[in-house]
Amino acid sequence: MIKLFSRFHEQSTDKKKAERKAKIGRLGEDVAAEFFVSKGYSVVARNLHISHLEIDLIIEDASFLVFAEVKTRTAQYKGASRYGRPASAVNAKKRARIAAAAEDYLRQHPTDKQPRIDVVEVYVGDAGTLPKVLHIRNAFGAHG
């Protein structure tokens, strides 16, 4: 009986962690979208799934169509958290997937605008503190 309860508790704890992580991710994407809108961009799409690939944000201004990968941390910005900077989570495999998704999107939605891939780091702290946003323009090339 104890073993069964323990296994149930572990599963529910894992589920709660996954739900919390998803909630923080959505919050980071909301903050990033607001950041871009405040800079004069328009949001084209959010959490766009193209076959088995995903793009967090697609935004545009008069010149650029931007594919943005958003990485959120729950610590206030201090240069890096114990896990490193959020952008460091965008490894070679992730960069290749983002580039492939952007290429698929552009095949389906041709544009005269210059495409660009950015990474946005969002740091959310305690309640009552404003999130900090670090925007990395042209974070990597089309081939990751």
Side-chain angles (χ1 to χ4, degrees), residues 55-129:
I55 300 172
D56 290 337
L57 284 174
I58 301 175
I59 59 247
E60 66 182 359
D61 65 5
S63 304
F64 292 94
L65 181 67
V66 180
F67 302 92
E69 176 68 12
V70 180
K71 291 297 181 187
T72 307
R73 294 290 184 266
T74 55
Q76 284 294 71
Y77 175 72
K78 297 179 182 90
S81 72
R82 70 180 190 209
Y83 300 109
R85 290 191 50 188
S88 65
V90 185
N91 59 25
K93 183 177 178 181
K94 182 71 172 174
R95 289 191 304 269
R97 292 176 63 84
I98 295 166
E103 289 172 355
D104 282 355
Y105 181 86
L106 289 169
R107 272 193 289 282
Q108 295 173 22
H109 304 91
T111 181
D112 291 332
K113 295 182 181 188
Q114 178 65 45
R116 189 177 79 212
I117 300 174
D118 295 357
V119 172
V120 180
E121 295 182 336
V122 178
Y123 296 86
V124 293
D126 299 327
T129 60

Side-chain angles (χ1 to χ4, degrees), residues 20-42:
R20 183 174 186 274
K21 185 177 178 180
K23 185 177 179 182
I24 291 167
R26 283 190 303 275
L27 172 62
E29 289 169 3
D30 290 345
V31 168
E34 287 181 26
F35 169 82
F36 280 112
V37 168
S38 76
K39 300 291 183 191
Y41 290 82
S42 298

